[in-house]
Amino acid sequence: MNAAGIAERARLPVLPEVNGRAEEPHPDADPTMTREARKERIAWRLEHLDEWQRDIESLDHYDPGYAYDVAHEYDVDWTTDPDYGPEGIHLYEFDEDGVPYPDDDRPLAIRVRMYETARGWLGHRVVSQTRYGFVPEIAERVGLRTHQGRPSNTVKPDLIVMPSEEDLDPSRFPEDGQPRPDDAVPELVLEILSESTAVRDQEGKRRLYEYLGVREYLLYDLGGKRWDNSPRELLVYRLEGDTYRQVPAEPRLSEPQAQAFWSDVFNAYIRMLPDPQEDTEEFRQLPAGRRPPPLFQWRDAVQGRWRDRATDERDRIRQEGKNEGRTEERLEATIDTMREFLGPELADVHLDRIELIWRRDGPPARPGHIAGTERMAVPAAAGRSR
C-alpha cells in the first residue's frame, strides 16, 4: 500500500458500532474494507482528486488511457476494479461487511478451458481476459461512468470472439492506442459472474454489448452469484434487431445439470458440463471454490458427440494406444508368417536378423521384398544351416 493509501486508512474507524458497542468482526474481516469505511474513503478521494490522481500516477502499472474510478482501490499488485488488470495485478474482492470473498479457482480454470476449446474450433480470433476499449461517447449513452462521472470506456471480459484474426493484428491499431468508432466489435462475449460484478454484468455491460452489436452474450453463474443460492446456470443472449433475447435451451440435448444452447457464432450447440468428480464424497467436503470446474463443450454434429480440448486429448491418446496395439499385433502376425514360409529355406540366424530389422524399421512395403536380405549375402544354395 502506498503512503497516501496508508494515510487514508489510518483516518478510518476500525470497527463499526452496533447498538452502541463495537461489533465483533468476522475472523477474516478487513475493518478498513467495510461498506462504511469504503464510503468514507471514496468521499475523501472525491475531495482530494488531484492528490489521489498523483497517487495513482506513482504506480508502476499506471495507464494514462484508463478511466480510474475513485470507487475502487488500486495498489501495487492488487485492485478492486474488475475492469482493470495489467499483468501482475490481481482482483481483490470484499463483501459489504469487509470480508474477503473466498478464493475461487474455478473462473480461471473455466477461462483456460473455454479458451482452449473455442480456439481449437474457431481459431486465433478467440481471446481471453483482454481489455476492450470503445469511444467514451458510447459509455455515456449506455450509462457506464466512474464514480466521479467520467465515461468508463474499458471492459475486461473473460473471453471474446472477434470476427476475424486480422481484427487482432497490432499493426491495425492506432499509434496512440485510443479506440475509434469504427473498431471491430466482438461477435461473442463471455462473462463469468462474481458477487461483486453480477449486477454490472447483467445490466451495464449487457446494455453496452447490446449497443455495440455483439451478436451473442454469455453469462455463467457458478451458483450463488446473482443472488443467494442462485442456480448454477449458463445464460445465452442473442441479438435480435437491436435487442438481446434470451436463448432457450434445447430440450433434446439438455441434461438436468447441463443445458444445451444453439450458438450462431460457434455454429453448434454449446454447454457447460459439471465435472463428474464434483459429486464424489472427496470433493463434497471441499469449499465450492476448490471443487473441479465445469467443462465448456460444443456439439460435433458430424461425430455426434460433445467435444472439448481435454476430452479430445484423452480420446487422441486412447486411440493412439489402440493403434499401437493393433500395429504390434500385425507385426507379430507378419513375423510369424515370415518364419513359417522362410523357415525351411534360411538358417535361424538369418531369420533372427530379418525379425530384428523388421522390428526396427517395419516390415517390407513391397510384396516379395524382404527388408535387409539384400545386405545379408545368403548363398542361394546354402539352405538351412543348423
Side-chain angles (χ1 to χ4, degrees):
M1 166 63 66
N2 48 42
I6 293 173
E8 286 185 55
R9 291 193 177 195
R11 288 193 288 272
L12 298 176
V14 174
L15 292 174
E17 289 198 356
V18 178
N19 296 327
R21 63 180 179 79
E23 183 182 20
E24 286 299 319
H26 185 283
D28 296 325
D30 181 344
T32 71
M33 279 293 181
T34 61
R35 178 169 45 185
E36 292 304 316
R38 292 200 301 272
K39 283 183 179 178
E40 291 190 31
R41 200 149 57 249
I42 290 169
W44 183 91
R45 288 195 286 262
L46 285 169
E47 293 174 1
H48 302 80
L49 283 175
D50 291 342
E51 184 176 345
W52 173 72
Q53 183 66 31
R54 287 195 296 272
D55 191 41
I56 292 293
E57 292 175 6
S58 69
L59 295 170
D60 290 339
H61 51 78
Y62 170 68
D63 179 356
Y66 187 75
Y68 290 89
D69 192 339
V70 296
H72 292 290
E73 311 283 338
Y74 302 91
D75 212 311
V76 174
D77 62 354
W78 64 268
T79 183
T80 59
D81 183 349
D83 292 328
Y84 183 71
E87 190 71 26
I89 307 302
H90 65 276
L91 179 64
Y92 203 9
E93 297 183 284
F94 297 83
D95 67 15
E96 290 189 341
D97 294 321
V99 179
Y101 286 128
D103 289 337
D104 195 337
D105 297 331
R106 294 173 298 171
L108 174 59
I110 292 171
R111 284 195 296 269
V112 171
R113 288 179 167 187
M114 185 171 185
Y115 171 76
E116 291 177 342
T117 297
R119 193 165 235 201
W121 177 235
L122 299 177
H124 292 278
R125 59 197 184 103
V126 179
V127 186
S128 178
Q129 278 280 281
T130 187
R131 278 164 58 187
Y132 178 78
F134 44 93
V135 294
E137 291 77 13
I138 293 177
E140 293 277 9
R141 288 171 189 152
V142 299
L144 287 177
R145 296 184 181 86
T146 64
H147 201 80
Q148 61 269 40
R150 291 181 59 193
S152 181
N153 65 321
T154 303
V155 291
K156 191 176 69 171
D158 289 289
L159 184 137
I160 63 174
V161 179
M162 297 300 291
S164 70
E165 295 181 21
E166 288 73 22
D167 295 317
L168 298 167
D169 184 352
S171 66
R172 299 181 60 177
F173 299 158
E175 292 185 5
D176 61 6
Q178 298 303 308
R180 299 288 190 268
D182 59 348
D183 285 345
V185 173
E187 286 195 316
L188 179 146
V189 170
L190 166 75
E191 298 281 7
I192 301 171
L193 300 179
S194 69
E195 290 90 341
S196 63
T197 65
V199 173
R200 189 165 187 253
D201 288 341
Q202 294 176 94
E203 296 178 4
K205 285 190 177 181
R206 177 177 164 174
R207 291 195 303 271
L208 168 67
Y209 300 141
E210 192 176 62
Y211 185 89
L212 288 172
V214 176
R215 291 172 60 191
E216 292 179 345
Y217 183 31
L218 278 55
L219 292 168
Y220 187 60
D221 184 345
L222 280 156
K225 306 301 181 181
R226 289 168 290 172
W227 60 82
D228 287 344
N229 300 316
S230 60
R232 179 171 50 196
E233 192 174 11
L234 175 64
L235 306 172
V236 178
Y237 296 91
R238 182 177 302 125
L239 203 61
E240 294 182 8
D242 298 327
T243 306
Y244 275 138
R245 304 291 183 195
Q246 188 168 350
V247 177
E250 170 52 60
R252 294 181 299 107
L253 296 174
S254 294
E255 302 171 13
Q257 296 298 317
Q259 292 186 313
F261 302 89
W262 176 260
S263 167
D264 285 343
V265 174
F266 280 87
N267 193 33
Y269 286 100
I270 59 175
R271 71 177 185 179
M272 289 286 194
L273 179 68
D275 192 297
Q277 298 183 84
E278 191 177 64
D279 290 330
T280 63
E281 186 61 32
E282 175 187 1
F283 286 100
R284 275 201 297 266
Q285 305 298 324
L286 296 176
R290 291 288 183 269
R291 295 174 190 169
L295 285 172
F296 172 79
Q297 297 184 314
W298 62 278
R299 180 78 175 176
D300 189 326
V302 175
Q303 299 185 19
R305 67 185 181 96
W306 290 98
R307 296 181 59 182
D308 60 81
R309 177 68 178 272
T311 302
D312 283 352
E313 184 65 15
R314 285 196 298 268
D315 289 348
R316 184 189 65 79
I317 293 173
R318 190 181 301 116
Q319 187 60 44
E320 285 182 353
K322 289 181 179 178
N323 291 341
E324 288 176 2
R326 286 195 291 267
T327 300
E328 184 66 26
E329 289 175 5
R330 287 195 296 269
L331 176 61
E332 295 298 332
T334 303
I335 290 173
D336 289 344
T337 301
M338 178 271 294
R339 285 187 174 276
E340 179 181 350
F341 280 91
L342 296 184
E345 304 297 331
L346 299 179
D348 287 345
V349 64
H350 301 309
L351 296 173
D352 292 343
R353 185 173 180 185
I354 293 173
E355 178 178 342
L356 178 65
I357 294 172
W358 282 15
R359 291 191 182 281
R360 184 192 67 194
D361 301 332
R366 301 192 305 274
H369 171 73
I370 301 177
T373 56
E374 69 278 3
R375 297 189 301 274
M376 295 193 320
V378 181
R384 293 183 62 80
S385 175
R386 297 288 181 184

